[in-house]
Amino acid sequence: MLIAVGIVVTYIVFVWLVFFRFRLLKFNIVWGIVGFWVGVHMLLIFLIALRFFQPFSIDGHVIRPTVQLVPRLPQPTILKEVLVTSNQQVKAGDVMYQFDRTIYEANLAANQAKLVEAQQNAKMLDVDVQQANDAMAEAVANRTYAQEEVKRYTDLVPKGGARQETLDKWIQQLAAADAQVAEAQANITKAELARDAKIDGINAQVYGAQAEVAKSQYYLDQTTIRAPEDGIIVTQQARPGLVVGNRRIAALAVLVADADPYMLATFYQEHLKFVEPGQEVEVALDIFPGQIFKGSVEAVWWGTGQGQIKPSGNVPTFRFPKVQGRIAVQIKVDDPALKRFPAGVHGAVAIYTGLGKGFEPLRRINIRLYSWANLLFPLNL
């Protein structure tokens, strides 16, 4: 806008000098129409070139990744210590919150005992298989002996050498021996199935007990909340005595990460015709009036909320006219002169596509005027 005003003022001064100050030409209706026509088109040429070849936005904000610090505890637990304060810088691994460990240490000890018991039971399964095999051998021996006796008495009874009752007795014992062998075989199968029930080569009961120990250890570790990465703590309101657990939804605080900050600026869609990643960018941050920072285009976010229809049972409703959604461009600011890059800082962004080189100085003047104006505005003295 300032450039457009400057162009108009310069052209008006030029017309005034030619027609009124030095009277180089005589002003009339024809010259008036021509002058107005030329002035308008001159202004349009500059405006169109700047809008497409050097897009400009005053809707830029610094974005920093954040981590919501939410306790991951399965049951109500008392917060014992708060070791951080708001606006405190922390390093990855620093202890920030300590919760009561009593319940979780007890759960871990109980599950460790169950693991030892499961390991002992797993060793006894081999003994059970051996006992089943021994019982099978005994049952087979009894059946063999009964078979021999039945055969012997079957020969003696017709000859009068033995009584029929004795033969009947051994026939019954042979049937019992057959049943004993079948039972022994079933016991062997059961013992072998129990022994061979494994996951990744580990007995199933031991595997399950190990999983319970791992889960108990995980929740015990969660009683100590450590910084996941370098950053600064904001909105820290937690106090010792606070009870958290499986029903808590809100975070204790927010960690604003030091790594990977970027700037997000929105542009009218038609102004991004020639914008590509890697192009030069200049940024004027309101927090640093009078300074210009260098950067580059990282990505164009080709999407807006207007392009999304969320699954629902309602038929989409469209109402026109509707204001077009602006497209966001992700900017990487890598100027070594930048001392601070706080989250949420506002600023202006100018992108230089490499086209229309003759118009670049105007855009560079434009963004510098914006930066210098921040020395005065807003006028809240």
Side-chain angles (χ1 to χ4, degrees), residues 83-308:
L83 304 174
V84 291
T85 59
S86 291
N87 299 317
Q88 178 179 335
Q89 188 74 34
V90 296
K91 297 293 184 181
D94 287 353
V95 177
M96 299 183 293
Y97 301 95
Q98 181 61 60
F99 293 89
D100 183 53
R101 298 165 59 92
T102 305
I103 296 176
Y104 302 99
E105 288 175 340
N107 287 339
L108 177 59
N111 285 322
Q112 286 175 335
K114 291 179 181 179
L115 174 59
V116 173
E117 182 180 0
Q119 291 171 337
Q120 293 301 318
N121 289 338
K123 294 177 181 178
M124 291 174 62
L125 292 176
D126 289 330
V127 177
D128 291 342
V129 172
Q130 183 60 47
Q131 288 179 342
N133 286 321
D134 292 343
M136 180 65 175
E138 181 181 357
V140 170
N142 290 336
R143 184 179 64 179
T144 302
Y145 179 73
Q147 288 174 340
E148 292 296 331
E149 290 299 307
V150 168
K151 181 180 179 182
R152 184 162 67 89
Y153 281 97
T154 299
D155 292 336
L156 291 175
V157 169
K159 298 176 181 179
R163 299 173 61 182
Q164 181 65 40
E165 291 82 356
T166 304
L167 174 61
D168 294 339
K169 174 185 174 182
W170 282 110
I171 291 175
Q172 291 176 356
Q173 289 186 1
L174 176 59
D178 288 336
Q180 184 182 9
V181 169
E183 182 181 2
Q185 182 61 56
N187 289 337
I188 290 175
T189 302
K190 289 169 59 177
E192 289 178 343
L193 288 174
R195 182 195 62 186
D196 297 336
K198 296 181 179 180
I199 300 175
D200 296 333
I202 301 174
N203 177 265
Q205 291 184 354
V206 174
Y207 195 91
Q210 288 176 342
E212 290 298 320
V213 169
K215 184 168 70 171
S216 299
Q217 184 65 59
Y218 171 80
Y219 285 125
L220 179 60
D221 294 340
Q222 295 308 308
T223 58
T224 302
I225 296 183
R226 300 178 181 273
E229 57 181 301
D230 295 352
I232 187 169
I233 299 294
V234 297
T235 67
Q236 200 301 108
Q237 298 296 324
R239 305 278 294 178
L242 176 69
V243 176
V244 302
N246 56 350
R247 294 186 179 181
R248 183 173 180 82
I249 299 176
L252 297 177
V254 175
L255 173 68
V256 180
D258 289 344
D260 306 321
Y262 61 91
M263 192 163 190
L264 206 61
T266 61
F267 294 81
Y268 290 109
Q269 299 175 20
E270 55 270 20
H271 297 172
L272 299 178
K273 179 178 178 63
F274 302 110
V275 174
E276 298 289 344
Q279 291 173 345
E280 179 189 0
V281 172
E282 286 187 329
V283 175
L285 297 175
D286 294 356
I287 195 174
F288 297 114
Q291 292 183 255
I292 299 296
F293 301 96
K294 301 294 183 180
S296 60
V297 175
E298 277 197 314
V300 179
W301 291 15
W302 292 113
T304 70
Q306 294 175 350
Q308 180 184 27

Side-chain angles (χ1 to χ4, degrees), residues 7-28 31-32 34-39 42:
I7 294 172
V8 171
V9 171
T10 301
Y11 183 71
I12 292 175
V13 171
F14 173 78
V15 171
W16 178 76
L17 290 174
V18 170
F19 290 100
F20 300 100
R21 179 67 177 83
F22 298 110
R23 299 181 184 277
L24 300 177
L25 294 173
K26 184 178 180 181
F27 186 80
N28 52 39
W31 276 116
V34 171
F36 176 77
W37 185 259
V38 172
M42 180 186 301

Side-chain angles (χ1 to χ4, degrees), residues 3 7 41-51 359 362:
I3 291 178
I7 294 172
H41 282 74
M42 180 186 301
L43 179 63
L44 288 176
I45 291 173
F46 279 96
L47 291 181
I48 292 173
L50 286 173
R51 285 156 64 97
F359 299 96
L362 295 177

